[in-house]
mmCIF file of all heavy atoms in Angstrom:
data_model
loop_
_atom_site.group_PDB
_atom_site.id
_atom_site.type_symbol
_atom_site.label_atom_id
_atom_site.label_comp_id
_atom_site.label_asym_id
_atom_site.label_seq_id
_atom_site.Cartn_x
_atom_site.Cartn_y
_atom_site.Cartn_z
ATOM 1 N N GLY C 159 4.426 -24.713 -15.938
ATOM 2 C CA GLY C 159 5.732 -25.084 -16.476
ATOM 3 C C GLY C 159 6.768 -25.234 -15.379
ATOM 4 O O GLY C 159 7.618 -26.128 -15.424
ATOM 5 N N PHE C 160 6.693 -24.373 -14.381
ATOM 6 C CA PHE C 160 7.615 -24.430 -13.244
ATOM 7 C C PHE C 160 7.469 -25.746 -12.491
ATOM 8 O O PHE C 160 8.456 -26.354 -12.070
ATOM 9 C CB PHE C 160 7.326 -23.255 -12.314
ATOM 10 C CG PHE C 160 8.333 -23.060 -11.225
ATOM 11 C CD1 PHE C 160 9.406 -22.200 -11.391
ATOM 12 C CD2 PHE C 160 8.207 -23.745 -10.015
ATOM 13 C CE1 PHE C 160 10.340 -22.010 -10.377
ATOM 14 C CE2 PHE C 160 9.133 -23.571 -8.996
ATOM 15 C CZ PHE C 160 10.208 -22.706 -9.172
ATOM 16 N N LYS C 161 6.223 -26.186 -12.324
ATOM 17 C CA LYS C 161 5.960 -27.411 -11.567
ATOM 18 C C LYS C 161 6.218 -28.676 -12.389
ATOM 19 O O LYS C 161 6.784 -29.650 -11.899
ATOM 20 C CB LYS C 161 4.509 -27.413 -11.078
ATOM 21 C CG LYS C 161 4.164 -26.299 -10.099
ATOM 22 C CD LYS C 161 4.902 -26.459 -8.786
ATOM 23 C CE LYS C 161 4.441 -25.396 -7.781
ATOM 24 N NZ LYS C 161 5.181 -25.507 -6.500
ATOM 25 N N LEU C 162 5.799 -28.667 -13.659
ATOM 26 C CA LEU C 162 5.881 -29.880 -14.477
ATOM 27 C C LEU C 162 7.231 -30.050 -15.167
ATOM 28 O O LEU C 162 7.610 -31.142 -15.540
ATOM 29 C CB LEU C 162 4.765 -29.871 -15.525
ATOM 30 C CG LEU C 162 3.343 -29.980 -14.977
ATOM 31 C CD1 LEU C 162 2.325 -29.891 -16.113
ATOM 32 C CD2 LEU C 162 3.149 -31.290 -14.224
ATOM 33 N N ARG C 163 7.921 -28.957 -15.392
ATOM 34 C CA ARG C 163 9.223 -28.964 -16.050
ATOM 35 C C ARG C 163 9.179 -29.707 -17.383
ATOM 36 O O ARG C 163 8.485 -29.303 -18.290
ATOM 37 C CB ARG C 163 10.284 -29.533 -15.112
ATOM 38 C CG ARG C 163 10.463 -28.690 -13.862
ATOM 39 C CD ARG C 163 11.733 -29.028 -13.129
ATOM 40 N NE ARG C 163 11.840 -28.221 -11.930
ATOM 41 C CZ ARG C 163 12.897 -28.191 -11.149
ATOM 42 N NH1 ARG C 163 13.954 -28.941 -11.437
ATOM 43 N NH2 ARG C 163 12.915 -27.420 -10.075
ATOM 44 N N GLU C 164 9.916 -30.807 -17.497
ATOM 45 C CA GLU C 164 10.025 -31.481 -18.789
ATOM 46 C C GLU C 164 8.687 -31.970 -19.327
ATOM 47 O O GLU C 164 8.554 -32.269 -20.518
ATOM 48 C CB GLU C 164 11.000 -32.670 -18.710
ATOM 49 C CG GLU C 164 12.455 -32.274 -18.614
ATOM 50 C CD GLU C 164 12.846 -31.839 -17.208
ATOM 51 O OE1 GLU C 164 11.984 -31.948 -16.301
ATOM 52 O OE2 GLU C 164 13.983 -31.381 -17.018
ATOM 53 N N ASN C 165 7.696 -32.085 -18.481
ATOM 54 C CA ASN C 165 6.384 -32.561 -18.914
ATOM 55 C C ASN C 165 5.455 -31.403 -19.285
ATOM 56 O O ASN C 165 4.241 -31.545 -19.266
ATOM 57 C CB ASN C 165 5.730 -33.395 -17.797
ATOM 58 C CG ASN C 165 6.534 -34.645 -17.477
ATOM 59 O OD1 ASN C 165 7.057 -35.300 -18.377
ATOM 60 N ND2 ASN C 165 6.653 -34.968 -16.208
ATOM 61 N N PHE C 166 6.065 -30.257 -19.628
ATOM 62 C CA PHE C 166 5.243 -29.077 -19.921
ATOM 63 C C PHE C 166 4.331 -29.289 -21.120
ATOM 64 O O PHE C 166 3.339 -28.598 -21.276
ATOM 65 C CB PHE C 166 6.131 -27.858 -20.147
ATOM 66 C CG PHE C 166 6.839 -27.837 -21.471
ATOM 67 C CD1 PHE C 166 6.242 -27.239 -22.564
ATOM 68 C CD2 PHE C 166 8.091 -28.405 -21.617
ATOM 69 C CE1 PHE C 166 6.888 -27.207 -23.791
ATOM 70 C CE2 PHE C 166 8.738 -28.366 -22.839
ATOM 71 C CZ PHE C 166 8.143 -27.777 -23.928
ATOM 72 N N SER C 167 4.653 -30.267 -21.974
ATOM 73 C CA SER C 167 3.802 -30.509 -23.153
ATOM 74 C C SER C 167 2.404 -30.958 -22.741
ATOM 75 O O SER C 167 1.441 -30.789 -23.500
ATOM 76 C CB SER C 167 4.434 -31.568 -24.065
ATOM 77 O OG SER C 167 4.620 -32.784 -23.367
ATOM 78 N N GLU C 168 2.275 -31.515 -21.530
ATOM 79 C CA GLU C 168 0.962 -31.923 -21.042
ATOM 80 C C GLU C 168 0.031 -30.721 -20.892
ATOM 81 O O GLU C 168 -1.182 -30.835 -21.045
ATOM 82 C CB GLU C 168 1.092 -32.633 -19.690
ATOM 83 C CG GLU C 168 1.863 -33.945 -19.755
ATOM 84 C CD GLU C 168 1.998 -34.592 -18.386
ATOM 85 O OE1 GLU C 168 1.333 -34.106 -17.441
ATOM 86 O OE2 GLU C 168 2.745 -35.567 -18.264
ATOM 87 N N ILE C 169 0.623 -29.561 -20.595
ATOM 88 C CA ILE C 169 -0.178 -28.346 -20.420
ATOM 89 C C ILE C 169 -0.898 -28.012 -21.716
ATOM 90 O O ILE C 169 -2.088 -27.692 -21.736
ATOM 91 C CB ILE C 169 0.719 -27.173 -19.995
ATOM 92 C CG1 ILE C 169 1.474 -27.532 -18.706
ATOM 93 C CG2 ILE C 169 -0.106 -25.907 -19.803
ATOM 94 C CD1 ILE C 169 2.603 -26.574 -18.381
ATOM 95 N N ASP C 170 -0.148 -28.088 -22.825
ATOM 96 C CA ASP C 170 -0.721 -27.770 -24.129
ATOM 97 C C ASP C 170 -1.865 -28.715 -24.462
ATOM 98 O O ASP C 170 -2.862 -28.325 -25.074
ATOM 99 C CB ASP C 170 0.361 -27.846 -25.200
ATOM 100 C CG ASP C 170 -0.123 -27.336 -26.546
ATOM 101 O OD1 ASP C 170 -0.953 -26.417 -26.559
ATOM 102 O OD2 ASP C 170 0.333 -27.866 -27.573
ATOM 103 N N GLN C 171 -1.734 -29.974 -24.040
ATOM 104 C CA GLN C 171 -2.791 -30.949 -24.308
ATOM 105 C C GLN C 171 -4.072 -30.579 -23.568
ATOM 106 O O GLN C 171 -5.160 -30.581 -24.151
ATOM 107 C CB GLN C 171 -2.327 -32.354 -23.898
ATOM 108 C CG GLN C 171 -1.152 -32.877 -24.719
ATOM 109 C CD GLN C 171 -0.662 -34.224 -24.231
ATOM 110 O OE1 GLN C 171 -1.233 -34.813 -23.310
ATOM 111 N NE2 GLN C 171 0.412 -34.717 -24.823
ATOM 112 N N TYR C 172 -3.943 -30.242 -22.290
ATOM 113 C CA TYR C 172 -5.128 -29.906 -21.491
ATOM 114 C C TYR C 172 -5.751 -28.587 -21.937
ATOM 115 O O TYR C 172 -6.963 -28.481 -22.109
ATOM 116 C CB TYR C 172 -4.768 -29.839 -20.004
ATOM 117 C CG TYR C 172 -4.486 -31.181 -19.384
ATOM 118 C CD1 TYR C 172 -3.230 -31.484 -18.874
ATOM 119 C CD2 TYR C 172 -5.470 -32.161 -19.311
ATOM 120 C CE1 TYR C 172 -2.960 -32.724 -18.308
ATOM 121 C CE2 TYR C 172 -5.212 -33.401 -18.750
ATOM 122 C CZ TYR C 172 -3.953 -33.674 -18.243
ATOM 123 O OH TYR C 172 -3.691 -34.902 -17.690
ATOM 124 N N VAL C 173 -4.889 -27.565 -22.111
ATOM 125 C CA VAL C 173 -5.412 -26.270 -22.533
ATOM 126 C C VAL C 173 -5.949 -26.351 -23.954
ATOM 127 O O VAL C 173 -6.954 -25.718 -24.289
ATOM 128 C CB VAL C 173 -4.319 -25.178 -22.419
ATOM 129 C CG1 VAL C 173 -4.851 -23.836 -22.916
ATOM 130 C CG2 VAL C 173 -3.844 -25.056 -20.984
ATOM 131 N N GLY C 174 -5.271 -27.158 -24.802
ATOM 132 C CA GLY C 174 -5.760 -27.340 -26.169
ATOM 133 C C GLY C 174 -7.140 -27.965 -26.186
ATOM 134 O O GLY C 174 -7.998 -27.572 -26.990
ATOM 135 N N ALA C 175 -7.373 -28.933 -25.292
ATOM 136 C CA ALA C 175 -8.697 -29.547 -25.207
ATOM 137 C C ALA C 175 -9.734 -28.527 -24.768
ATOM 138 O O ALA C 175 -10.859 -28.495 -25.287
ATOM 139 C CB ALA C 175 -8.655 -30.726 -24.224
ATOM 140 N N ALA C 176 -9.364 -27.669 -23.813
ATOM 141 C CA ALA C 176 -10.287 -26.621 -23.369
ATOM 142 C C ALA C 176 -10.566 -25.634 -24.495
ATOM 143 O O ALA C 176 -11.712 -25.199 -24.689
ATOM 144 C CB ALA C 176 -9.695 -25.887 -22.164
ATOM 145 N N SER C 177 -9.536 -25.289 -25.268
ATOM 146 C CA SER C 177 -9.707 -24.377 -26.400
ATOM 147 C C SER C 177 -10.656 -24.960 -27.432
ATOM 148 O O SER C 177 -11.531 -24.266 -27.957
ATOM 149 C CB SER C 177 -8.355 -24.086 -27.056
ATOM 150 O OG SER C 177 -7.481 -23.465 -26.156
ATOM 151 N N ASN C 178 -10.475 -26.253 -27.718
ATOM 152 C CA ASN C 178 -11.354 -26.911 -28.690
ATOM 153 C C ASN C 178 -12.789 -26.950 -28.197
ATOM 154 O O ASN C 178 -13.734 -26.765 -28.980
ATOM 155 C CB ASN C 178 -10.853 -28.336 -28.978
ATOM 156 C CG ASN C 178 -9.533 -28.343 -29.724
ATOM 157 O OD1 ASN C 178 -9.207 -27.386 -30.426
ATOM 158 N ND2 ASN C 178 -8.770 -29.414 -29.582
ATOM 159 N N ALA C 179 -12.960 -27.190 -26.898
ATOM 160 C CA ALA C 179 -14.314 -27.234 -26.333
ATOM 161 C C ALA C 179 -14.993 -25.869 -26.450
ATOM 162 O O ALA C 179 -16.170 -25.772 -26.824
ATOM 163 C CB ALA C 179 -14.254 -27.676 -24.874
ATOM 164 N N ILE C 180 -14.240 -24.795 -26.144
ATOM 165 C CA ILE C 180 -14.791 -23.448 -26.258
ATOM 166 C C ILE C 180 -15.128 -23.134 -27.705
ATOM 167 O O ILE C 180 -16.178 -22.535 -28.006
ATOM 168 C CB ILE C 180 -13.797 -22.415 -25.691
ATOM 169 C CG1 ILE C 180 -13.674 -22.591 -24.173
ATOM 170 C CG2 ILE C 180 -14.235 -20.994 -26.026
ATOM 171 C CD1 ILE C 180 -12.602 -21.735 -23.537
#
Side-chain angles (χ1 to χ4, degrees):
F160 189 93
K161 296 294 185 182
L162 294 177
R163 297 195 181 187
E164 287 79 5
N165 297 320
F166 75 90
S167 59
E168 296 178 10
I169 303 167
D170 188 33
Q171 295 176 3
Y172 289 117
V173 178
S177 299
N178 292 335
I180 292 173

